[in-house]
Amino acid sequence: MSTLLLNRSDVVRHMEALTLLSEMREAFRADAETRPAEPQRARATLHGQGSALVVFPGTLAGIPAYTVKVHAKFPGRTPAIQGVVQLHDLETGALLAVMDSGHLTALRTGVVGALAADVLAREDAARVALIGAGAQASMQLKSLRLVRSLNHVRVFDVDVARAVEFSARMYHALNLPMRPAMSVEEAVEDADIVITATPSREPFLFPGMLRGGSHVTALGADEPGKAELLRRAAAPVHLLL
């Protein structure tokens, strides 16, 4: 049996957020009803500069295959995440495909954030705060526009120049009013939806900073030692961690 090889360009060409949004919504429903195998994660730190991660097995009822994802994560490099997804036959273990995982993971994360907002955020939620102006912020914003009519975005990044550049670039790409904020407090003060995508190891969202009924998608705390927010809030908020 031959193995299909898909590089990053192949993945980008065949994946789009709008199609994936519908498919991921149904996949979450199916997974909630029946999970063929419990997924596991194995992570190891590499000389203090990066980490290796294996996520397996990825299964879904009705699909006769499973995945194993292998990632190298080096925050100081661009792209920060590099790796592959292996697709195996469920009955025999035969290797069916190997594909670049970087764009696939970024797109998946963006779509999952949009799905969470679609389920949890108010229907009239229209003002967004982005904390962190990296690649995932762009993917989150593009995906979020598929489920909500947005009218304003504020962007904060510890690198002010990057927040300014991001705001200008995304304004031209999406024709959506955007402006950089000079602090986290300024960014979130009137936000209906807050998206945090940072490498922070110290919380920066605290009780009293968010309006009641706000939705928070917190992406950065994806490994030990990282933190973006305190989960105790002065008023009810929705959190996706």
Side-chain angles (χ1 to χ4, degrees):
M1 177 181 291
S2 61
T3 301
L4 180 64
L5 300 177
L6 300 173
N7 61 27
R8 182 180 177 87
S9 297
D10 296 326
V11 175
V12 171
R13 185 165 59 251
H14 291 96
M15 298 292 294
E16 62 177 36
L18 185 59
T19 300
L20 193 59
L21 186 73
S22 174
E23 294 178 347
M24 286 291 291
R25 192 189 302 272
E26 293 307 314
F28 274 115
R29 288 171 176 162
D31 183 70
E33 294 175 354
T34 304
R35 178 172 286 180
E38 195 66 27
Q40 302 180 59
R41 296 164 62 94
R43 177 185 176 276
T45 300
L46 301 171
H47 52 73
Q49 301 299 316
S51 60
L53 177 69
V54 181
V55 183
F56 66 100
T59 59
L60 193 64
I63 295 181
Y66 68 92
T67 61
V68 176
K69 183 163 70 170
V70 182
H71 265 179
K73 185 173 183 180
F74 286 74
R77 299 185 62 86
T78 302
I81 294 177
Q82 302 177 71
V84 297
V85 173
Q86 301 171 189
L87 183 69
H88 294 263
D89 185 279
L90 188 60
E91 295 298 324
T92 68
L95 185 60
L96 304 176
V98 177
M99 65 195 78
D100 180 272
S101 66
H103 179 74
L104 183 61
T105 298
L107 183 59
R108 182 286 316 269
T109 305
V111 167
V112 170
L115 283 174
D118 193 31
V119 172
L120 296 173
R122 301 193 315 271
E123 291 189 5
D124 64 348
R127 302 180 69 85
V128 178
L130 290 175
I131 313 301
Q136 188 50 226
S138 172
M139 197 67 75
Q140 288 288 323
L141 188 58
K142 291 176 180 178
S143 299
L144 186 58
R145 292 190 75 209
L146 299 176
V147 299
R148 287 295 183 274
S149 297
L150 308 181
N151 61 31
H152 193 267
V153 180
R154 291 184 181 177
V155 183
F156 173 78
D157 195 283
V158 292
D159 183 339
V160 176
R162 184 160 71 167
V164 172
E165 185 279 331
F166 179 93
S167 298
R169 173 164 48 87
M170 296 306 293
Y171 168 74
H172 290 294
L174 303 178
N175 192 30
L176 179 63
M178 316 226 355
R179 72 176 179 88
M182 294 300 104
S183 66
V184 173
E185 291 86 350
E186 180 186 348
V188 306
E189 63 182 1
D190 62 351
D192 305 313
I193 298 174
V194 178
I195 299 170
T196 62
T198 77
S200 180
R201 294 185 175 275
E202 295 292 338
F204 51 77
L205 281 181
F206 300 98
M209 291 176 64
L210 303 177
R211 299 194 304 168
S214 299
H215 169 80
V216 180
T217 298
L219 302 171
D222 59 352
E223 59 187 37
K226 296 175 67 176
E228 294 181 314
L229 63 151
L230 295 178
R231 301 188 193 185
R232 179 172 57 86
V237 298
H238 303 131
L239 301 178
L240 170 67
L241 303 174

